[in-house]
Amino acid sequence: MERNGFSFEQALDLLHQKKYAALRSLLSDAEPADIAEFYEQVSGNQYAIVFRILPKELAAEVFVELDSDLQQILIESFSDSELKEVLAELYMDDTVDLIEEMPANVVKRILANSTGETRKTVNELLKYPDDSAGGIMTTEMVRFKQNMTVEEAFELLRRVAIDKETIYTCYVTDVNSHLIGIVTVLTLLLASKDALIGDIMEENAICVSTLDDKEFVAAQISKYDVLALPVVDAEHRLVGIVTVDDAIDVMQDEAEEDFAKMNAMLPTEKPYLKTAPFELWKSRIPWLLLLMVSATFTGMIISSFEEALATQVILTAFIPMLMDTGGNSGGQASVTIIRAISLGEIRFGDWFRIVWKETRVALLCGGTLAAVCFVKLFVVDKWLMGKEITFLIALVICLTLCVTVLCAKVIGCTLPLLAKKMGFDPAVMASPFITTIVDAVSLLVYFQLAKYFLHL
Amino acid sequence: MERNGFSFEQALDLLHQKKYAALRSLLSDAEPADIAEFYEQVSGNQYAIVFRILPKELAAEVFVELDSDLQQILIESFSDSELKEVLAELYMDDTVDLIEEMPANVVKRILANSTGETRKTVNELLKYPDDSAGGIMTTEMVRFKQNMTVEEAFELLRRVAIDKETIYTCYVTDVNSHLIGIVTVLTLLLASKDALIGDIMEENAICVSTLDDKEFVAAQISKYDVLALPVVDAEHRLVGIVTVDDAIDVMQDEAEEDFAKMNAMLPTEKPYLKTAPFELWKSRIPWLLLLMVSATFTGMIISSFEEALATQVILTAFIPMLMDTGGNSGGQASVTIIRAISLGEIRFGDWFRIVWKETRVALLCGGTLAAVCFVKLFVVDKWLMGKEITFLIALVICLTLCVTVLCAKVIGCTLPLLAKKMGFDPAVMASPFITTIVDAVSLLVYFQLAKYFLHL
C-alpha cells in the first residue's frame, strides 16, 4: 500500500493517537481513491471523524469513491448542513448514482437538502433507463455560443471551470440548445484571441443519443479516442456528456457481467470479498439447477442404451472424454462469437461466413484430435493398460470425436447469434449451456455409431 | 454505418467514378477511425489512391488505425518522401508498435526514413518489455521548469502543442529530468499570469515505473481517473507518459485474453472474421489435446468400476449430470476468483477467507441441488419414467452431488490462487481445466459412495 498513495499504518496510528491535525495534513496530499481504500480499514465509529477532518472539496471526492453502504452510514451521521455541503460538490451523475442506491428515507433527506435546480435535473436524469446514455451522463459541461470570441470563451472557462466535470472539450449550442459544434481547449489555445468560436469549432461532432445503450457509448469513446462525448435528445438538443472515466467503468462492468454470465452466474455488483455467501448462492444456484435438470436428457439417452452398453462395457469409459472434448470445443466457439458480438465485430448477417469458418476449424481440430486419440487408444489403452480395444471400437470413438467437435463448433457459433437476433443476451448461450446440448449430441452420435459398426 | 461517420456507399461510389475531389472533401470531415473502417471495403489496388487524397495530418491519423497487414501494403507502396511524411506525424508509441509488427525489410526502410532523433528514441523504447509501462508509453509530453511563469508556460504550450500526445497534463522536471510535479491546463487557466509553476504544481504526483506491468498502469489510470500517467525510470527521471486511450486498449486486450484463456484457447490478436481457420486451429488445439489426453484418468476410473457398474447399470445414466454439475460449480468459483485476482481485489493471503466463503456457498448450493435432485429422482425418473430408483440409489446420487459441489468449489478457488502464487497465469486454471479434475473427483466419490451404500 505504498507506491502511489500513503502509508495506511501511519494514518491509522495517527487516528488512534487522536493526532487529527497530523492526520489531516497526511490525507490532504493523498488521492481520493486511496483515502476511500483507507476508509475500509477504519472502524465504524470513526468514519465521521475521518471524514470531518478532510478539506471540504476532498471530502466530496472521497465520498464519491466509497461503497454505497459506507455512503449511507456517513449520510446518516451528517447534519443537514454537512449533507448540503457534500451534495453541492457532487457532479450530477454521481448524485443520481447515489440516489439510485440509497433507501427511500435517505433519498428523501438528500432531495430535501438539494437545491431546487439539482432536484429538477436529478428528476430529469432519473427518467432515462439505467443502461442508456441518459442514465450515465452528467450535465456539467461548458457551453459556448457561436458568436463568442476566443478571449470571451477563456473568460467564461475560468469562471465556470471549477464546477464542470471536464473543460477540455466544450460544446457550442444555438439559442434553442441544439448542439452545433465542439471546441477543445487545444483549439482555443492555438487560435487568436479575437477569432470567433463559430469559425474555429468542429462541426459534425460525434455525439450519441440519450437512449443509446451505455455500452455503445463506451465503445464510441474508445473507438474515437475522445475524452468525452456529447449526448443529445431526439431534437438534437445538447442535454449532457459522458466522460472517458465513466466509459471505462462501463466497459469494466460489461466485461465482468460477461464473465459471470458465460460461466453460469448472475452478475453480482459488489467485490468478491464483500459479497455474502447467501448472495453468491443466489447468483449461482439458478443456472446450476437449470443445467442439472436439463442433464436429465443425457441420462435418458444413456438409459435407452443401457442394454447395448451392458454388452460392451468398455464404451462407458470413453463417455467423459467425448463429452468434455465436445463441451470444450463448443465453449471455444461460443465464447469467441459472444465476445465478437459484444465488441461489435460481427452481426447476424455474418452467420454463413462464421459457420463456414467454424466448420473448417472443426474439421482441423476434429481431425487432429481423432488422429491423436487413435494412436493413444492403441498405445496407452490397449498396449499399456491391456484394454480390449479393437479397430472398430477405435473407429467408433474417433469418428464420434470428429462429429461431436463439428456439431459443438456449429452449435457454439449459431446459438449466440440466434440469441442476439431474438433480442436475448448472447452471453447466456455460453459454455455451460452449450455443454448440456453438446453432451446429448455426443452421446447420441456415439451410441448410433456404436450400434452401426459394432452391431449392438 | 451512418450515425457518427459517413456513408461508405457514397464514398465507394465516388471512388469508382474517380470523383477524387468530392471524395477528398467527404473524407476530410470524417473521423480517422471511420476512414480506417472504410479502407477495409476498398479493393487492394485503390489503397494508395484513397490514402494519397487525404490531407497529410489526417492520413497519418488514419494510418495508425489500420490493421498491420494494411499498413504494410501501404508502406510498400509509399515513396521514401511519403513514408517520411507519415512517420513524422506518428507519435513515438505508434512508431514503436509499427516497428514491432512489420517484417525486417520494412523495419529497415522505416528506420532509414526516420530522423536520427526518432531512431534513438525508438531504440530506447524497444528495450522495454512489451508488457511494461515502458513498452506502451510515448515520449511526447509537455515539460515545464519550476521557475517558469504561467504566461511562459502558456507560450510554450502554444508552440509545442501540435506535436504532443496530450497537453492537458504537463510535467515539471528539474535540471536532471527528475519528475517533481504536474500541472494541468485547468490549474494554469485558474492561476494568475505571473504565478510560478513551482508554486501551483501538484507535488507527489502519481506515477508509474518503466518496468511496471502495463495492466497495473491501466488499473492505476482507471483507479485515479486521470487522463495520463507519467512514467519514471529507476532514478525517478521522467521518461514518458501513458495516456487514457492506451490504457483502455490495454484493459480491453486483457479482458479478451482472459476470455480466451478461461475457455481453453490461446489468445489471437486479430478480430474474429479476419483470423484464418488455421490460426484459430492453432489457438484452440493445444488445450483440446491436453484436456482430451488428461480425460484418460476419468476413463481409468470408470474402467476400474466396470464390473460393479455392470451390476447396477442405472448408475451410469447419472454420470453426465454429476460431472456437468461439478464442472459448472467449479467453473463458477474459478472464474470469480480469477477475475478478482485480475482486478487486484484479492491476493494469496486471503486464501483462508476465500475457501471458508466458498465452503459455505458450496454447502448452500450442494444442499439445494441435492434436495431438488432427490425430488426429481422420485417424481421424474421413478414415477414418470419408471426407472428403478431405490432410496439408497437416490441417497448415493444426492450425497455425491453435495460432495462434488464442495470439492469443485474448493478446487475452483484454490487452483487460481496457487497458480498466481507460483507465478503462473491464474486464467489458465479456469473451467475446462477444473472440469477435468472435478470429473475425476466426482466419479471417485460416486463409485466409493455406491460401493459403500449399495454394497457393490
Side-chain angles (χ1 to χ4, degrees):
Chain A
M1 274 303 103
E2 280 290 342
R3 282 304 271 297
N4 299 323
F6 58 98
S7 155
F8 286 5
E9 278 169 38
Q10 195 191 338
L12 281 174
D13 276 351
L14 291 174
L15 180 62
H16 294 149
Q17 293 162 29
K18 306 198 172 171
K19 294 185 177 163
Y20 298 134
L23 181 59
R24 179 191 162 101
S25 88
L26 180 70
L27 295 181
S28 297
D29 283 338
E31 293 290 325
D34 290 321
I35 302 178
E37 264 181 32
F38 167 65
Y39 246 83
E40 318 245 313
Q41 323 246 333
V42 171
S43 56
N45 51 1
Q46 294 178 307
Y47 289 148
I49 299 175
V50 177
F51 199 78
R52 281 188 187 118
I53 62 174
L54 294 176
K56 246 187 271 178
E57 222 179 295
L58 183 60
E61 288 178 74
V62 171
F63 183 81
V64 173
E65 302 273 341
L66 293 174
D67 277 341
S68 58
D69 37 358
L70 271 180
Q71 287 177 330
Q72 190 180 336
I73 293 174
L74 273 177
I75 292 182
E76 282 162 357
S77 79
F78 284 165
S79 69
D80 278 357
S81 67
E82 278 175 321
L83 180 56
K84 268 196 190 114
E85 273 172 17
V86 170
L87 289 174
E89 296 285 341
L90 294 190
Y91 291 121
M92 220 44 95
D93 53 345
D94 295 325
T95 311
V96 170
D97 287 349
L98 183 65
I99 285 177
E100 282 173 337
E101 298 200 350
M102 290 296 118
N105 60 326
V106 178
V107 170
K108 224 180 249 175
R109 244 194 99 205
I110 292 176
L111 290 177
N113 286 287
S114 303
T115 63
E117 186 71 21
T118 304
R119 261 199 305 277
K120 210 182 123 200
T121 314
V122 164
N123 281 328
E124 284 300 315
L125 290 177
L126 282 172
K127 282 184 201 149
Y128 298 110
D130 260 10
D131 55 356
S132 69
I136 59 164
M137 71 186 182
T138 191
T139 51
E140 286 98 344
M141 61 270 178
V142 182
R143 291 167 186 259
F144 290 156
K145 298 285 162 218
Q146 258 184 302
N147 55 3
M148 275 180 165
T149 64
V150 168
E151 192 166 18
E152 286 165 345
F154 268 122
E155 271 165 36
L156 177 66
L157 259 190
R158 288 199 176 88
R159 218 163 49 232
V160 301
I162 211 71
D163 290 326
K164 303 300 175 185
E165 179 131 13
T166 184
I167 61 153
Y168 298 134
T169 313
C170 305
Y171 303 89
V172 189
T173 51
D174 66 15
V175 281
N176 297 315
S177 281
H178 295 123
L179 177 68
I180 50 177
I182 64 164
V183 179
T184 64
V185 166
L186 176 60
T187 313
L188 285 181
L189 279 173
L190 296 179
S192 78
K193 277 186 186 175
D194 40 8
L196 286 177
I197 293 297
D199 294 334
I200 61 167
M201 72 183 184
E202 190 190 323
E203 290 170 84
N204 309 315
I206 308 156
C207 62
V208 290
S209 140
T210 43
L211 294 179
D212 278 337
D213 190 272
K214 66 179 178 182
E215 289 166 9
F216 172 77
V217 179
Q220 295 285 97
I221 288 182
S222 158
K223 175 178 173 189
Y224 295 114
D225 284 347
V226 290
L227 301 180
L229 267 189
V231 183
V232 296
D233 65 11
E235 278 80 45
H236 206 74
R237 283 184 300 235
L238 177 67
V239 288
I241 57 169
V242 177
T243 49
V244 65
D245 51 318
D246 295 325
I248 291 178
D249 293 342
V250 169
M251 282 187 259
Q252 284 179 331
D253 289 350
E254 183 193 7
E256 295 324 307
E257 274 175 30
D258 273 4
F259 274 111
K261 286 183 206 148
M262 283 190 198
N263 290 280
M265 289 178 276
L266 306 175
T268 51
E269 296 222 328
K270 289 191 203 163
Y272 176 73
L273 285 180
K274 292 200 182 164
T275 316
F278 181 68
E279 285 175 75
L280 288 173
W281 172 82
K282 272 201 298 183
S283 90
R284 294 180 185 181
I285 197 70
W287 274 102
L288 286 182
L289 277 176
L290 182 70
L291 294 171
M292 180 184 80
V293 171
S294 57
T296 309
F297 294 105
T298 50
M300 283 166 61
I301 296 170
I302 292 187
S303 294
S304 67
F305 282 84
E306 247 167 32
E307 284 170 38
L309 270 181
T311 66
Q312 282 280 5
V313 190
I314 192 168
L315 290 181
T316 317
F318 297 99
I319 290 179
M321 185 274 282
L322 291 171
M323 283 185 0
D324 283 350
T325 305
N328 290 332
S329 303
Q332 290 178 331
S334 66
V335 166
T336 309
I337 298 303
I338 290 166
R339 283 308 290 175
I341 295 175
S342 239
L343 300 174
E345 287 173 8
I346 56 179
R347 58 201 78 210
F348 189 75
D350 298 316
W351 182 78
F352 186 75
R353 278 172 76 190
I354 294 168
V355 169
W356 173 226
K357 183 171 281 192
E358 286 299 327
T359 305
R360 286 175 292 166
V361 178
L363 293 177
L364 283 169
C365 285
T368 317
L369 290 170
V372 172
C373 185
F374 196 85
V375 173
K376 194 214 102 179
L377 283 174
F378 282 100
V379 175
V380 179
D381 296 67
K382 188 180 174 120
W383 193 53
L384 288 178
M385 289 162 54
K387 283 194 201 167
E388 287 171 42
I389 306 284
T390 63
F391 173 77
L392 279 181
I393 288 180
L395 185 71
V396 168
I397 293 170
C398 293
L399 267 183
T400 307
L401 258 183
C402 283
V403 179
T404 302
V405 171
L406 182 63
C407 295
K409 295 271 184 211
V410 172
I411 295 170
C413 69
T414 304
L415 284 188
L417 284 169
L418 220 57
K420 175 79 181 169
K421 180 78 179 173
M422 290 161 61
F424 296 121
D425 184 343
V428 297
M429 291 295 176
S431 354
F433 194 77
I434 304 275
T435 301
T436 305
I437 298 177
V438 170
D439 280 357
V441 172
S442 61
L443 287 174
L444 278 177
V445 172
Y446 191 35
F447 294 140
Q448 291 303 338
L449 287 175
K451 241 177 158 174
Y452 181 81
F453 284 103
L454 305 174
H455 313 292
L456 298 184
Chain B
M1 272 305 103
E2 280 293 339
R3 282 302 273 296
N4 299 321
F6 56 98
S7 156
F8 285 4
E9 278 170 37
Q10 194 191 343
L12 281 175
D13 277 351
L14 291 174
L15 180 62
H16 293 149
Q17 294 162 27
K18 303 198 174 173
K19 293 185 177 164
Y20 297 133
L23 182 60
R24 179 189 162 100
S25 88
L26 181 70
L27 295 182
S28 296
D29 282 337
E31 292 291 324
D34 289 322
I35 303 178
E37 263 181 32
F38 168 65
Y39 245 84
E40 317 245 312
Q41 323 246 334
V42 170
S43 57
N45 52 3
Q46 294 178 308
Y47 288 149
I49 299 176
V50 178
F51 199 78
R52 279 188 189 116
I53 62 174
L54 294 176
K56 244 188 271 177
E57 221 177 294
L58 184 59
E61 287 178 75
V62 172
F63 184 81
V64 173
E65 302 273 342
L66 294 173
D67 276 342
S68 58
D69 37 358
L70 271 180
Q71 287 178 328
Q72 190 180 338
I73 294 174
L74 273 178
I75 293 183
E76 282 162 358
S77 79
F78 283 165
S79 69
D80 278 357
S81 67
E82 279 175 320
L83 181 57
K84 268 195 190 112
E85 274 173 15
V86 170
L87 289 173
E89 296 285 342
L90 295 190
Y91 290 121
M92 219 45 94
D93 53 345
D94 295 324
T95 312
V96 170
D97 287 348
L98 183 66
I99 285 177
E100 282 174 337
E101 297 200 348
M102 291 295 119
N105 59 328
V106 178
V107 170
K108 227 180 246 174
R109 245 193 98 203
I110 292 175
L111 290 177
N113 285 288
S114 303
T115 63
E117 187 71 21
T118 304
R119 262 200 304 279
K120 211 181 124 201
T121 314
V122 164
N123 281 327
E124 285 298 315
L125 290 179
L126 282 171
K127 282 183 201 149
Y128 297 110
D130 262 9
D131 55 357
S132 69
I136 58 166
M137 71 186 182
T138 191
T139 52
E140 286 99 343
M141 60 271 177
V142 182
R143 288 167 189 261
F144 290 154
K145 297 287 162 216
Q146 256 183 302
N147 55 5
M148 275 178 164
T149 63
V150 168
E151 190 165 20
E152 287 165 345
F154 268 122
E155 272 165 35
L156 178 66
L157 259 190
R158 289 198 174 90
R159 219 163 50 233
V160 302
I162 211 72
D163 291 327
K164 303 300 176 185
E165 180 132 12
T166 183
I167 62 153
Y168 299 133
T169 313
C170 305
Y171 303 90
V172 189
T173 52
D174 66 14
V175 280
N176 298 314
S177 280
H178 295 121
L179 176 68
I180 51 177
I182 63 165
V183 180
T184 63
V185 166
L186 176 60
T187 312
L188 285 181
L189 279 173
L190 296 180
S192 79
K193 275 185 185 175
D194 41 8
L196 285 179
I197 293 296
D199 294 333
I200 61 168
M201 73 185 183
E202 188 190 326
E203 291 170 83
N204 310 315
I206 309 156
C207 61
V208 291
S209 140
T210 43
L211 295 179
D212 277 336
D213 190 272
K214 65 180 178 183
E215 288 166 10
F216 172 76
V217 179
Q220 295 285 99
I221 287 182
S222 158
K223 175 178 173 188
Y224 294 113
D225 284 347
V226 290
L227 301 180
L229 267 189
V231 183
V232 297
D233 66 11
E235 277 81 46
H236 208 73
R237 283 183 300 234
L238 177 68
V239 288
I241 58 168
V242 176
T243 49
V244 65
D245 51 318
D246 295 325
I248 290 178
D249 293 342
V250 168
M251 281 186 260
Q252 283 178 331
D253 288 350
E254 183 193 6
E256 295 325 307
E257 275 175 30
D258 273 3
F259 274 112
K261 286 183 205 148
M262 283 191 198
N263 289 281
M265 290 178 277
L266 306 175
T268 52
E269 298 223 328
K270 288 189 205 166
Y272 176 74
L273 286 179
K274 292 200 182 162
T275 315
F278 182 68
E279 284 174 78
L280 288 173
W281 172 81
K282 273 202 299 185
S283 91
R284 295 180 184 182
I285 196 70
W287 274 102
L288 285 182
L289 277 175
L290 182 70
L291 295 171
M292 181 183 79
V293 171
S294 57
T296 308
F297 293 105
T298 49
M300 282 166 60
I301 295 170
I302 291 188
S303 294
S304 67
F305 282 82
E306 248 166 32
E307 284 171 39
L309 271 181
T311 65
Q312 283 280 7
V313 191
I314 193 169
L315 290 181
T316 317
F318 298 99
I319 290 180
M321 184 273 282
L322 291 171
M323 284 184 0
D324 283 350
T325 305
N328 290 333
S329 303
Q332 290 178 330
S334 66
V335 166
T336 310
I337 297 304
I338 290 167
R339 284 307 292 174
I341 295 175
S342 239
L343 300 174
E345 286 173 10
I346 56 178
R347 57 203 77 211
F348 189 75
D350 297 317
W351 182 79
F352 187 76
R353 276 172 76 190
I354 295 168
V355 169
W356 173 226
K357 182 171 281 192
E358 287 299 329
T359 304
R360 285 175 293 166
V361 178
L363 293 176
L364 283 170
C365 287
T368 317
L369 290 170
V372 173
C373 185
F374 196 85
V375 174
K376 194 214 103 181
L377 283 173
F378 282 99
V379 175
V380 179
D381 295 71
K382 187 178 176 121
W383 192 54
L384 288 178
M385 290 162 54
K387 282 194 202 168
E388 289 172 41
I389 305 283
T390 63
F391 174 77
L392 279 180
I393 287 180
L395 184 71
V396 167
I397 293 170
C398 294
L399 267 184
T400 306
L401 258 182
C402 284
V403 179
T404 301
V405 170
L406 182 63
C407 294
K409 296 270 183 211
V410 172
I411 295 171
C413 70
T414 304
L415 284 188
L417 284 168
L418 219 58
K420 175 78 182 173
K421 180 78 180 171
M422 291 161 61
F424 297 120
D425 185 343
V428 298
M429 291 296 175
S431 355
F433 193 77
I434 304 274
T435 301
T436 305
I437 298 177
V438 170
D439 280 357
V441 171
S442 60
L443 287 174
L444 279 176
V445 172
Y446 191 35
F447 295 141
Q448 291 303 336
L449 288 175
K451 241 179 159 174
Y452 181 79
F453 284 102
L454 305 174
H455 313 291
L456 299 183

